Amino acid sequence: MNHSSDHLLIPAEFYFQASVEIPWQADLSKDIQHKKHPVIEKELPNLMFEESDSKNTVQFFVAWNEEGICLQVNAEKKNFPCQPGTLTDPTKGDRIDFFIDTRDLKTNHRANKFCHRFTLLPPGTRGKRKQSALMIEQEISGNRTYREMTQPEQIPTWDSSSKAGYHVSCWISKAYLEGYDPEHVPSLGFYYVMHDGEYGTRLFGVGENFPATTDPSLWPSLKLVR
């Protein structure tokens, strides 16, 4: 929060339910499988309502088609490579948690079978070993429904990096998105939390004073437009 909002009892971002349009694009899966980053022109807005002294930037992009969705991150870094988490313990290092509700149910305060949590481990190093970007699925705390978790090899992921930062594109097929039905439900609940040694914590919407990682009613909406 910036200084102009410090006096608010309820943070500014809680006064409205954000809704963002994301584009339809063909060949998203094909591009990533052919080691190309899809060109997604519309960046997700910054919903943190705060000023930053850092000239470094991180950009998030989402695109969709009838077969699934593409998540993309472009991060400029002063300190690269990253120190990402691991498959056995994603929380021990840099990571980005993405939360998706395929039915965008704003009346439901508990995660259900339509809610998913995917964790992106950015490219970096563990010790002296280079680690490519990985996307894994994890359970959402409090979700009482059981679903077999998607494995990293089932989520095509392509990353490129340099001393200036990294660029990651991931494809999540509708096969791993329970309830994904753009024709009849052209909207997704969506939230992310970025944990990064350089950027700190970045959020897409309400802050850490709210249970956004477990309550899908707090997630902004992504409108699936053509």
Side-chain angles (χ1 to χ4, degrees):
M1 298 293 295
N2 62 35
H3 62 85
S4 63
S5 300
D6 288 343
H7 67 283
L8 295 178
L9 180 62
I10 299 176
E13 60 266 42
F14 200 65
Y15 281 96
F16 70 97
Q17 186 70 59
S19 180
V20 179
E21 293 185 350
I22 61 170
W24 179 95
Q25 287 188 211
D27 300 327
L28 292 166
S29 173
K30 184 184 296 185
D31 283 347
I32 295 172
Q33 290 175 336
H34 285 80
K35 299 182 179 181
K36 292 173 55 181
H37 293 294
V39 178
I40 304 173
E41 294 185 356
K42 188 174 182 179
E43 177 187 353
L44 292 183
N46 183 346
L47 300 181
M48 289 188 66
F49 292 86
E50 69 176 9
E51 298 174 352
S52 174
D53 294 330
S54 173
K55 293 183 179 180
N56 289 357
T57 60
V58 56
Q59 299 171 298
F60 293 86
F61 302 84
V62 184
W64 73 282
N65 60 40
E66 290 76 8
E67 300 305 312
I69 65 174
C70 171
L71 303 177
Q72 195 174 91
V73 182
N74 188 8
E76 295 180 7
K77 303 277 287 181
K78 288 182 179 178
N79 303 309
F80 193 80
C82 303
Q83 298 294 318
T86 65
L87 281 176
T88 55
D89 193 351
T91 65
K92 293 293 181 65
D94 295 346
R95 69 190 187 281
I96 306 171
D97 289 323
F98 293 96
F99 298 85
I100 300 169
D101 177 3
T102 58
R103 295 303 171 93
D104 198 17
L105 297 174
K106 293 296 187 280
T107 58
N108 191 5
H109 296 282
R110 185 185 295 273
N112 55 50
K113 67 178 182 179
F114 302 122
C115 298
H116 307 73
R117 174 190 175 192
F118 295 95
T119 298
L120 173 65
L121 304 180
T125 59
R126 298 298 302 180
K128 296 182 179 180
R129 180 178 300 179
K130 290 185 178 180
Q131 179 174 305
S132 298
L134 290 173
M135 182 73 91
I136 60 177
E137 185 175 13
Q138 299 192 84
E139 294 182 355
I140 298 176
S141 179
N143 190 346
R144 296 176 180 175
T145 60
Y146 173 78
R147 181 178 63 249
E148 186 174 343
M149 297 290 101
T150 307
Q151 299 303 305
E153 60 269 19
Q154 296 172 306
I155 306 178
T157 301
W158 171 243
D159 69 79
S160 56
S161 58
S162 67
K163 293 181 179 179
Y166 65 82
H167 193 180
V168 180
S169 299
C170 304
W171 170 255
I172 304 178
S173 167
K174 66 178 182 180
Y176 311 120
L177 292 168
E178 179 77 26
Y180 184 69
D181 185 3
E183 180 179 356
H184 298 100
V185 188
S187 180
L188 302 173
F190 182 81
Y191 187 72
Y192 66 71
V193 183
M194 179 180 190
H195 301 274
D196 185 273
E198 184 173 322
Y199 287 109
T201 301
R202 296 180 68 95
L203 308 163
F204 188 64
V206 296
E208 296 177 290
N209 292 330
F210 295 89
T213 58
T214 59
D215 184 347
S217 73
L218 298 174
W219 302 348
S221 296
L222 300 185
K223 301 297 183 183
L224 310 180
V225 299
R226 299 197 59 145

